[in-house]
């Protein structure tokens, strides 16, 4: 009985919090509303995209992770020299949507590391259009997910870690292929 009440409260809080959000908020290609007209005309909305950079004809997306390794080559492999608006996708090499003048170095496993405010932030190359959704610490290709799963992820990602741990079921698309009995709490605990 206590579990049902806790789940009901979590569900009510999540539904209340989700009222003003759209599914694009969970997809890392499009994040937060930058500007919007008063009349809720969606054609007038502009979306801020995830920080990204084009290097060697490939788009690299911000992972939100920092490389704290102190030993590194002292010579940058390149520099971000031009920028586009935060609502746009870079189309030229050494161009970003978050600013110019940043040095970068090639990292491991198809990543680059960009020096921002003295920290080396990790950007990763993604296949497709880069539209990915976050589930726990994992990024999932959003183009392979159903509309219902994306809506569930919008709701889920708005929960606190504690609330996420209380979730006992996840969409089948997000379950590991080898174990369909794993709960969301077990999935999140892996991260």
């Amino acid at each position: 009985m206590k579990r049902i009440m806790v789940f009901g409260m979590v569900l009510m809080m999540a539904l209340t919090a989700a009222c003003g959000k759209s599914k694009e908020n969970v997809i890392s290609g499009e994040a937060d509303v930058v500007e919007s007209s008063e009349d809720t005309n969606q054609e007038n909305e502009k979306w801020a995209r995830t920080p990204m950079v084009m290097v060697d004809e490939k788009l690299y997306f911000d992972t939100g992770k920092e490389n704290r390794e102190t030993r590194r080559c002292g010579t940058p492999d390149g520099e971000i020299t031009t920028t586009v608006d935060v609502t746009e996708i870079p189309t030229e090499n050494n161009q970003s949507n978050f600013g110019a003048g940043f040095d970068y170095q090639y990292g491991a496993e198809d990543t680059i590391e960009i020096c921002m405010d003295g920290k080396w932030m990790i950007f990763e190359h993604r296949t497709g259009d880069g539209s990915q959704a976050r589930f726990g610490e994992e990024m999932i290709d959003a183009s392979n997910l159903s509309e219902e799963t994306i809506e569930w992820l919008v709701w889920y990602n708005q929960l606190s870690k504690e609330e996420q741990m209380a979730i006992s079921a996840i969409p089948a698309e997000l379950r590991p292929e080898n174990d369909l009995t794993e709960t969301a709490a077990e999935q999140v605990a892996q991260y």
Side-chain angles (χ1 to χ4, degrees), residues 5 34 47 49 86 100 102 123 125 132 139 151 163:
M5 289 178 50
V34 177
W47 297 91
R49 296 190 178 272
V86 69
F102 299 104
F123 284 65
H125 173 66
Q132 294 193 340
M139 296 301 288
E151 289 173 7
E163 293 168 327

Side-chain angles (χ1 to χ4, degrees), residues 7-159:
F7 179 71
M9 290 183 352
V10 169
L11 183 59
M12 186 64 98
M13 289 174 18
L15 291 174
T16 305
C19 288
K21 303 290 182 177
S22 69
K23 70 181 178 198
E24 286 81 8
N25 291 5
V26 78
I27 299 174
S28 61
E30 298 179 348
D32 300 315
V33 174
V34 177
E35 61 184 58
S36 175
S37 67
E38 291 287 314
D39 64 354
T40 67
N41 183 352
Q42 289 186 350
E43 293 175 0
N44 293 333
E45 290 183 347
K46 282 192 171 183
W47 297 91
R49 296 190 178 272
T50 295
M52 62 185 89
V53 61
M54 180 172 277
V55 174
D56 297 331
E57 306 297 324
K58 295 177 6 182
L59 282 175
Y60 292 84
F61 296 81
D62 185 13
T63 64
K65 298 178 183 173
E66 176 187 355
N67 182 343
R68 296 177 188 224
E69 177 65 41
T70 56
R71 297 179 300 161
R72 66 173 53 248
C73 168
T75 307
D77 294 318
E79 179 183 349
I80 300 172
T81 56
T82 61
T83 189
V84 296
D85 189 73
V86 69
T87 62
E88 297 178 27
I89 296 175
T91 57
E92 302 172 6
N93 282 325
N94 299 321
Q95 184 178 67
S96 79
N97 66 350
F98 56 85
F102 299 104
D103 290 336
Y104 64 83
Q105 291 183 336
Y106 294 102
E109 300 177 20
D110 215 8
T111 63
I112 60 171
E113 298 174 10
I114 301 175
C115 186
M116 304 172 78
D117 298 323
K119 298 177 182 177
W120 288 93
M121 303 308 294
I122 301 171
F123 284 65
E124 67 183 357
H125 173 66
R126 298 181 188 154
T127 57
D129 66 358
S131 294
Q132 294 193 340
R134 179 171 301 282
F135 178 55
E137 294 297 319
E138 185 178 345
M139 296 301 288
I140 302 168
D141 188 1
S143 64
N144 294 334
L145 299 176
S146 69
E147 190 74 23
E148 293 82 17
T149 299
I150 291 175
E151 289 173 7
W152 186 89
L153 281 168
V154 169
W155 167 78
Y156 180 81
N157 287 328
Q158 293 172 351
L159 301 175

